[in-house]
Amino acid sequence: MPHTRPPPAFSEKGFYLQEFRGRTLALCAADSDAARAPALRDVIRELAEGGARLLLLAPEVRSIEMVRVPASALRLEGDVWRALQKGRAVHVEVDPGQDRAEGWRSVAGRLGVSKLVRIDADGGLVEPDGRRDSFVDLDELQAWVAAGGHPRAALLAEVGSLLEVGVAAVNVCTLGGLADELFTYAGSGTLFTRERYLVVRRLALDDYDAASDLMARGVEEGYLTPRGEPERDRILAGGFGAFVGGSHLAGIGALLVYEEAAAGDISALYTLTRFQGEGVGGHLVAHALEAAAERGLERVFACTTQARVGAFFERQGFTLVDADRLPPRRW
């Protein structure tokens, strides 16, 4: 048998680096100070080493070794394409005298950039109560703009224009939070998307690493009970996930079926802290109920020892019952 190296341990950063491999990301810095910062250089290096392609949209930058292409180039598309063949990071030099939002929008539209990260000193959106708005889709953004009076109205208009020219996703975060926004589940800013950001679907094999990691987090945080390998395998096989932006796993759950009782158990339901308040848990429960109906199950239940989890299920239309009404095999 040929010798093979064991696969590397799953990590959040590794998960996202794999996602970005082969893709082009645009990083937008409004001033030269931000563009020269070590935090930005480190992120560019890690992304490039991970196989991503980077466009730094910023004024003059000399501290990062990259091929430079002026944003005003007549053949911008071809120039950038050839520059990326020489190196994985290209500095698209934006005229500091030009309106920065217009310059970024023009470059992103011409190059067909699908993901753009906007470095902002104020970071992402925050509600008056201090809660961060982690995800906002275009419909919600446009509703805020139409209503008027939003404290970040200029940012919303800027992001909206980027989404409307074809950018699929725009992250807004501080420079200090850039690595967390790109490489961690928790994130640090706000992700704006052109399409509805949440999709619930069955877990596939490529999702198992992230799903298993989420189950471990749920146990650490006290939301889930520890499970042995056979039970974890059963949950993964019958599991489903809520995915943000097509690939970011925001939450998981599973419908475990007891055929002899025509019943289903919603198990291992867990949502990352970043996504709590975004309605992810409700979408996961709705998906489980739809799956139960398709299988002809007569009842669906969930078990918990925590009042806060029980209250969540009651808000979803569940009622409290005695444990002896559940399938004996459940115990």
Side-chain angles (χ1 to χ4, degrees):
M1 293 289 290
H3 173 72
T4 58
R5 292 183 179 179
F10 177 77
S11 70
E12 294 176 35
K13 179 180 287 188
F15 173 78
Y16 287 113
L17 285 173
Q18 180 63 37
E19 178 191 348
F20 297 143
R21 183 184 297 275
R23 296 179 58 190
T24 301
L25 285 70
L27 305 179
C28 297
D31 56 69
S32 296
D33 288 341
R36 286 195 297 266
L40 181 59
R41 294 201 305 269
D42 291 345
V43 168
I44 289 175
R45 176 183 53 79
E46 289 190 282
L47 286 167
E49 290 177 354
R53 300 188 298 182
L54 284 304
L55 303 179
L56 176 60
L57 278 58
E60 182 177 1
V61 179
R62 300 299 180 191
S63 59
I64 305 177
E65 187 176 343
M66 290 185 290
V67 178
R68 185 185 68 86
V69 175
S72 58
L74 182 62
R75 296 186 296 170
L76 176 67
E77 297 86 345
D79 289 349
V80 170
W81 175 57
R82 281 183 288 275
L84 284 171
Q85 293 176 325
K86 299 177 182 177
R88 289 195 171 273
V90 173
H91 173 208
V92 181
E93 188 171 15
V94 179
D95 184 350
Q98 182 183 19
D99 177 76
R100 67 183 185 190
E102 173 58 34
W104 295 342
R105 181 171 59 250
S106 174
V107 172
R110 288 183 64 178
L111 299 179
V113 172
S114 63
K115 186 175 184 65
L116 182 146
V117 183
R118 196 307 201 169
I119 298 170
D120 187 281
D122 294 324
L125 303 184
V126 179
E127 295 290 331
D129 62 4
R131 180 176 59 86
R132 178 161 51 99
D133 288 311
S134 295
F135 293 90
V136 178
D137 63 36
L138 182 57
D139 288 343
E140 187 175 10
L141 184 154
Q142 291 175 331
W144 285 347
V145 171
H150 196 284
R152 307 286 300 275
L155 174 67
L156 295 181
E158 181 182 309
V159 173
S161 68
L162 288 166
L163 297 175
E164 287 167 357
V165 298
V167 180
V170 177
N171 296 72
V172 177
C173 65
T174 63
L175 178 60
L178 179 60
D180 283 343
E181 178 67 8
L182 289 178
F183 299 143
T184 69
Y185 293 138
S188 67
T190 301
L191 171 61
F192 298 85
T193 55
R194 191 170 67 244
E195 304 297 335
R196 182 65 182 169
Y197 59 79
L198 187 69
V199 175
V200 180
R201 62 166 174 79
R202 178 186 173 188
L203 293 175
L205 183 61
D206 287 342
D207 306 317
Y208 286 5
D209 280 334
S212 180
D213 189 58
L214 260 61
M215 280 193 281
R217 285 168 176 264
V219 171
E220 291 175 5
E221 295 176 9
Y223 287 100
L224 302 179
T225 57
R227 292 175 168 84
E229 184 176 283
E231 192 173 2
R232 286 201 306 270
D233 288 352
R234 187 182 178 204
I235 288 171
L236 291 172
F240 44 86
F243 293 84
V244 171
S247 58
H248 299 264
L249 189 57
I252 57 170
L255 181 68
L256 307 182
V257 177
Y258 297 87
E259 299 285 0
E260 72 279 6
D265 176 11
I266 298 180
S267 185
L269 191 73
Y270 173 71
T271 301
L272 283 166
T273 303
R274 178 178 188 179
F275 306 95
Q276 291 175 4
E278 303 284 344
V280 173
H283 286 287
L284 289 167
V285 170
H287 180 86
L289 294 177
E290 290 175 6
E294 291 174 0
R295 298 193 63 161
L297 302 183
E298 297 175 2
R299 53 184 176 151
V300 176
F301 63 90
C303 299
T304 182
T305 59
Q306 298 192 34
R308 56 183 173 175
V309 179
F312 163 78
F313 276 103
E314 288 186 75
R315 291 195 298 271
Q316 307 304 313
F318 287 66
T319 57
L320 187 64
V321 300
D322 292 332
D324 59 11
R325 294 183 57 185
L326 304 183
R329 189 160 61 91
R330 172 62 175 82
W331 310 113

